[in-house]
Amino acid sequence: MTNPILVSLNDAQRDAVSAPLCHQLILAGAGSGKTRVLTYRIAWLIQEEGLSPFDILAVTFTNKAAHEMRLRTEELLGVSAKSMWVGTFHSLAHRFLRMHWREAGLPEGFQILDSEDQLRLVRRVIHTLGLDEDRWPAKQVQWFINGKKDEGLESHQVPDYGDVTTRTMIKLYRAYEEACQRAGSIDFADLLLLAHKLWLTQPTLLAHYQQRFRYILVDEFQDINAVQYAWIRLLAGKTSHVMMVGDDDQSIYGWRGAKVENLHQFTIHFPDVRITRLEQNYRSTGMILKAANALISHNTDRLGKQLWTSGGEGDPITVYVGFNEVDEAQFIVNRVREWRQQRGRLRDIGILYRSNAQSRIIEEMLIRAELPYRIYGGLRFFERAEIKDALGYLRLMANPQDDAAFERIVNTPTRGIGDRTLVVLRDYVKEHQVSLWIAAKQLVEKHFFAARAEKALQHFIELIETLVNDMSAVALHEQIEQVIYRSGLIDHYRKEKGEKGLARLDNLEELVNAARQFDAVDRMPDMTPLSAFLSHSVLESGEGQANQYEDSVQLMTLHSAKGLEFPVVFLCGCEEELFPHYMTMNDPRGLEEERRLCYVGMTRAMQKLYMTYAEVRRLHGKEVYHRPSRFLAEIPAPCLREVRMKTKLATPTHSTAYHSVPSFISNEGVFHMGQQVMHKQFGEGTILQCEGRGEHARIQVRFKETGTKWLMASFVSMK
């Protein structure tokens, strides 16, 4: 008689769930029911293999997933699963350390520092060692420390290879460790590092848990880092069985330490691994899966899967070619409006983008259309820290009496104006009933502070006054561009490593674009452009985003979209150097991760997928013509249906497999980048860039004899 647990499973799921006690690698494709397999495997182990719930350790990637696994297990078994060891790596490690704080060398009531607390402590250590934070930014030091901990390395284990910079970083790491020990604190990365060290230094304790946990299940195996994998290997020992569930095609967190190589190493480190592929997809249409399979097949060293569905074929993917990012956003909003009119549910729609700076123009269009939206896993554009920093400078320039703006930016970036100086300023404000700006100027004039503090405050005052004087006759977008550079914000955030730092820089540049576009629309009468823009930013940040329970469109980065699904998905900005990101263009491993990210985005769609790009996009203060993303060229033509607005632009259709480049019509005809042209004086050349349209069109041409020149398009002829 078939066990009821197996009745609702497909053949591959049934094979994974009912396997004999052994090491297992479950290659679970997108939408293939991996959570079901995990929970049903736990139920099978308890019912059929005679294991106790206390014999099982299950590791999930989020607390939400752990909660869901417990609930499903309780439903299957009819007993409470609250006492089971189910949780994230960090929550389980925390549980071990609380139980064995003495063996771990920790105080009984040790505290855990969050990211902000850790950054403050790092900053204090930098100052204690007498180092200049401009030379050794706290964010960069924090990134170094956490990165080494994710590799399982304490400060004394990090080699310096004779490099002075690394040696100083190690010195800071060591001083930070000592400061944590004195305070009886650990940080988030310490949870795994110290739990791993506990196993290494306490063999008797390790043996106890190896004997206790006879079966270990790990979800999202492709996303674990070096110390997490080492932790599992130690805990498993030679007697426990391990079931790893993951998908090498969905490994998208390499930038934060995840190692897709762990999937390949598993069959080496654990003997006689039984591999099961979950390839039947219960989410997407056949057309979407066919496109996703073709895309991901361009990656090398895959373990290999081919997603399929017993459902319908569905519509081709709609590829929209917009003139610019405004046109692209307008198309998306129009389709959203149509969906609501026909189906009624905005929550069915997910708008995904590679960089969160792309959300700004989409948010603006949604607000104009009075369509509620939510930013999933992030902040609205004008609420992001780096944007508020830039606006803080602008607010203080527009109104020196703005104390909130003064406090936000007076030491951002750090310029040696500490808490003691601010306490003195606040006391002066309270006593004399003036603004912080006036207090700072008057106390500097009185030479009230020590020389270092006075110099720092004087420098800040001069910076703001210079910005005000220099910007009086400058266009709004140029004002903002100058502010983010001359204030030091660009350099400040450039020092922040990884995707987060790049995103902040993109957002600051997008703020300049927002000002440029705002300058062209009607603004409130009797207000300067700057004051009107500041009012606009406050109004936009305070409306548009729906409350938690309101039906609304979901906006998010592609990284945030993993694990989610929507009937309708827009994947926007499919252009070379935007997606795939320009930082990966010369890195084969980076490009493969970008392709996996695209695969993840595509497989979020259940019924309808749109992929959009703009022929012209304003980036880094310039209108840039990018080629369509190579990912579009890697999708079979029958899977795509191109849609475009009737504009003066004339780009090739999919018949050229998106390998052509944007072109434009001038008075002299159609030109595009890469085209051969002739000039009466300079001879034969190749078009490198295009700007403008019609009689104002300009092209950058590289001539064989005379080098590169910018010319009016009317000065050359097609070869």
Side-chain angles (χ1 to χ4, degrees):
M1 182 176 173
T2 304
N3 188 308
I5 289 176
L6 305 179
V7 172
S8 62
L9 304 177
N10 65 38
D11 291 342
Q13 292 172 336
R14 193 176 299 118
D15 181 61
V17 167
S18 62
L21 289 178
C22 62
H23 297 307
Q24 289 178 269
L25 176 59
I26 312 299
L27 295 174
S32 62
K34 69 178 178 65
T35 304
R36 170 177 287 229
V37 167
L38 280 163
T39 52
Y40 277 53
R41 180 61 171 168
I42 292 172
W44 178 270
L45 292 170
I46 294 170
Q47 279 193 355
E48 298 294 328
E49 298 291 348
L51 271 66
S52 160
F54 301 104
D55 294 333
I56 299 170
L57 179 80
V59 186
T60 62
F61 209 64
T62 65
N63 291 313
K64 180 182 177 182
H67 178 69
E68 184 180 348
M69 189 177 292
R70 282 199 189 91
L71 289 179
R72 291 197 187 186
T73 303
E74 288 176 349
E75 291 172 1
L76 286 171
L77 297 175
V79 297
S80 174
K82 291 181 180 178
S83 59
M84 282 183 60
W85 283 67
V86 180
T88 65
F89 274 104
H90 290 92
S91 65
L92 293 172
H94 178 242
R95 186 171 176 179
F96 281 121
L97 292 174
R98 288 294 178 193
M99 293 172 63
H100 303 288
W101 55 271
R102 187 176 286 106
E103 294 93 330
L106 294 170
E108 184 176 6
F110 68 86
Q111 298 297 309
I112 303 174
L113 303 174
D114 63 19
S115 181
E116 289 300 316
D117 291 334
Q118 183 191 29
L119 186 62
R120 285 192 204 95
L121 183 55
V122 167
R123 190 167 283 127
R124 198 179 312 146
V125 166
I126 293 169
H127 294 161
T128 300
L129 293 181
L131 296 173
D132 182 1
E133 194 174 340
D134 288 336
R135 174 69 179 85
W136 304 98
K139 281 277 188 183
Q140 192 170 340
V141 176
Q142 182 185 35
W143 174 82
F144 176 87
I145 292 171
N146 290 340
K148 296 307 174 187
K149 290 184 179 184
D150 285 344
E151 294 175 23
L153 301 174
E154 295 181 273
S155 63
H156 67 276
Q157 298 170 311
V158 181
D160 63 29
Y161 301 111
D163 178 66
V164 175
T165 299
T166 305
R167 191 179 301 134
T168 303
M169 284 292 194
I170 294 170
K171 183 180 178 182
L172 286 161
Y173 185 3
R174 187 176 299 115
Y176 170 78
E177 284 177 326
E178 293 167 356
C180 286
Q181 289 168 3
R182 287 194 300 270
S185 302
I186 65 174
D187 57 46
F188 203 61
D190 275 328
L191 291 170
L192 266 297
L193 181 68
L194 295 179
H196 180 244
K197 185 179 179 181
L198 185 64
W199 301 147
L200 290 172
T201 58
Q202 301 290 330
T204 304
L205 191 65
L206 174 61
H208 165 75
Y209 282 107
Q210 286 175 336
Q211 186 177 9
R212 173 175 178 175
F213 294 122
R214 296 169 55 195
Y215 207 95
I216 300 171
L217 303 95
V218 181
D219 192 11
E220 304 287 8
F221 183 33
Q222 76 281 349
D223 292 331
I224 70 176
N225 60 33
V227 72
Q228 289 168 339
Y229 186 42
W231 192 80
I232 288 294
R233 289 183 62 194
L234 268 176
L235 188 56
K238 297 186 181 299
T239 57
S240 299
H241 293 103
V242 179
M243 177 180 178
M244 296 291 198
V245 182
D247 182 2
D248 53 338
D249 291 334
Q250 296 189 74
S251 179
I252 60 174
Y253 298 118
W255 50 276
R256 68 182 189 196
K259 294 185 178 294
V260 69
E261 296 87 353
N262 291 335
L263 271 167
H264 301 271
Q265 294 293 318
F266 181 63
T267 55
I268 299 172
H269 296 146
F270 291 83
D272 303 320
V273 173
R274 179 175 177 145
I275 300 177
T276 305
R277 287 173 169 81
L278 304 182
E279 298 174 304
Q280 184 174 358
N281 177 281
Y282 292 93
R283 175 188 299 153
S284 305
T285 65
M287 189 69 74
I288 292 170
L289 296 181
K290 189 184 299 182
N293 285 332
L295 172 82
I296 203 64
S297 69
H298 287 78
N299 274 4
T300 58
D301 296 326
R302 296 173 59 232
L303 293 172
K305 285 181 316 303
Q306 192 76 3
L307 296 182
W308 61 276
T309 179
S310 59
E313 186 74 358
D315 296 331
I317 298 166
T318 297
V319 178
Y320 180 71
V321 188
F323 167 55
N324 56 23
E325 68 271 26
V326 177
D327 181 24
E328 178 191 40
Q330 189 61 62
F331 169 80
I332 293 170
V333 170
N334 288 342
R335 298 291 82 75
V336 169
R337 188 187 288 113
E338 288 177 9
W339 177 268
R340 185 171 69 168
Q341 291 169 351
Q342 296 169 7
R343 310 291 179 96
R345 285 164 48 104
L346 293 176
R347 68 174 65 94
D348 291 342
I349 300 170
I351 301 176
L352 317 182
Y353 33 80
R354 177 62 180 84
S355 167
N356 65 15
Q358 292 172 252
S359 79
R360 200 272 310 169
I361 187 65
I362 299 171
E363 288 184 64
E364 186 172 310
M365 291 294 185
L366 287 168
I367 291 171
R368 289 185 186 179
E370 298 183 345
L371 292 169
Y373 70 92
R374 286 189 63 79
I375 303 291
Y376 182 90
L379 297 170
R380 289 172 287 183
F381 181 79
F382 284 107
E383 292 179 341
R384 294 166 190 164
E386 59 277 11
I387 298 302
K388 294 177 79 171
D389 290 342
L391 293 175
Y393 279 93
L394 296 166
R395 284 166 51 194
L396 195 62
M397 289 165 57
N399 176 20
Q401 311 307 312
D402 190 333
D403 284 352
F406 183 98
E407 290 216 44
R408 182 174 189 94
I409 66 169
V410 67
N411 204 39
T412 304
T414 52
R415 48 175 60 90
I417 301 173
D419 292 339
R420 291 182 181 177
T421 302
L422 287 173
V423 168
V424 172
L425 290 174
R426 292 189 194 106
D427 288 344
Y428 190 90
V429 166
K430 187 176 181 180
E431 181 180 352
H432 296 86
Q433 296 297 301
V434 294
S435 67
L436 285 168
W437 175 258
I438 296 298
K441 294 191 70 172
Q442 291 182 356
L443 288 174
V444 165
E445 289 172 0
K446 296 176 181 178
H447 303 293
F448 183 86
F449 297 106
R452 184 175 178 181
E454 180 181 313
K455 184 178 179 181
L457 205 53
Q458 179 66 41
H459 176 75
F460 174 71
I461 292 169
E462 290 173 354
L463 170 66
I464 300 300
E465 289 179 338
T466 302
L467 287 172
V468 171
N469 293 333
D470 291 354
M471 302 300 166
S472 58
V474 175
L476 176 62
H477 70 275
E478 292 177 346
Q479 289 183 45
I480 294 177
E481 188 171 39
Q482 288 293 312
V483 164
I484 63 177
Y485 277 96
R486 290 167 63 176
S487 66
L489 287 175
I490 288 289
D491 289 337
H492 173 65
Y493 284 118
R494 188 174 283 139
K495 293 170 185 174
E496 188 172 342
K497 298 291 184 180
E499 286 274 339
K500 196 171 183 180
L502 288 174
R504 292 191 192 279
L505 294 175
D506 287 345
N507 284 333
L508 287 172
E509 289 180 348
E510 183 58 27
L511 182 64
V512 178
N513 291 342
R516 189 188 303 269
Q517 291 169 353
F518 177 80
D519 213 20
V521 301
D522 293 334
R523 55 178 177 263
M524 297 174 68
D526 303 323
M527 293 183 72
T528 65
L530 176 57
S531 297
F533 182 74
L534 291 172
S535 299
H536 163 75
S537 69
V538 173
L539 293 171
E540 275 218 354
S541 66
E543 63 179 58
Q545 177 141 302
N547 63 50
Q548 185 177 354
Y549 304 104
E550 185 179 356
D551 183 43
S552 56
V553 182
Q554 305 296 301
L555 275 64
M556 67 199 70
T557 64
L558 281 154
H559 285 99
S560 298
K562 187 152 180 293
L564 303 177
E565 59 183 32
F566 303 93
V568 180
V569 166
F570 292 89
L571 207 171
C572 46
C574 297
E575 301 147 33
E576 290 288 289
E577 299 189 34
L578 184 57
F579 190 39
H581 197 274
Y582 69 90
M583 293 291 286
T584 68
M585 300 302 284
N586 297 314
D587 176 14
R589 289 165 62 92
L591 276 172
E592 291 213 342
E593 183 156 320
E594 291 288 291
R595 187 175 287 110
R596 292 195 292 267
L597 191 58
C598 186
Y599 175 83
V600 167
M602 293 172 67
T603 54
R604 299 311 93 195
M606 301 166 69
Q607 300 172 22
K608 182 62 186 173
L609 174 62
Y610 295 87
M611 298 179 75
T612 68
Y613 69 91
E615 293 176 317
V616 183
R617 188 178 297 273
R618 182 162 288 279
L619 293 171
H620 317 300
K622 297 179 180 178
E623 284 192 344
V624 179
Y625 293 78
H626 282 155
R627 293 175 58 154
S629 172
R630 68 190 67 195
F631 301 149
L632 290 169
E634 293 169 356
I635 298 171
C639 296
L640 303 177
R641 182 177 64 214
E642 188 179 90
V643 177
R644 59 175 59 235
M645 293 286 285
K646 293 180 181 179
T647 68
K648 292 184 179 180
L649 287 169
T651 59
T653 63
H654 190 273
S655 61
T656 55
Y658 292 102
H659 287 298
S660 293
V661 291
S663 60
F664 63 91
I665 297 177
S666 74
N667 293 348
E668 301 301 310
V670 179
F671 292 100
H672 61 77
M673 287 184 284
Q675 185 176 11
Q676 299 295 303
V677 294
M678 288 294 296
H679 185 274
K680 291 181 180 179
Q681 179 180 350
F682 304 126
E684 184 180 331
T686 304
I687 296 179
L688 301 180
Q689 293 189 63
C690 316
E691 272 190 8
R693 292 186 295 164
E695 62 183 8
H696 301 295
R698 296 197 314 149
I699 54 177
Q700 186 185 40
V701 182
R702 183 175 60 232
F703 293 101
K704 290 183 177 180
E705 302 296 332
T706 56
T708 301
K709 300 180 183 300
W710 277 100
L711 302 167
M712 299 301 292
S714 57
F715 291 175
V716 301
S717 59
M718 289 182 286
K719 185 180 176 186

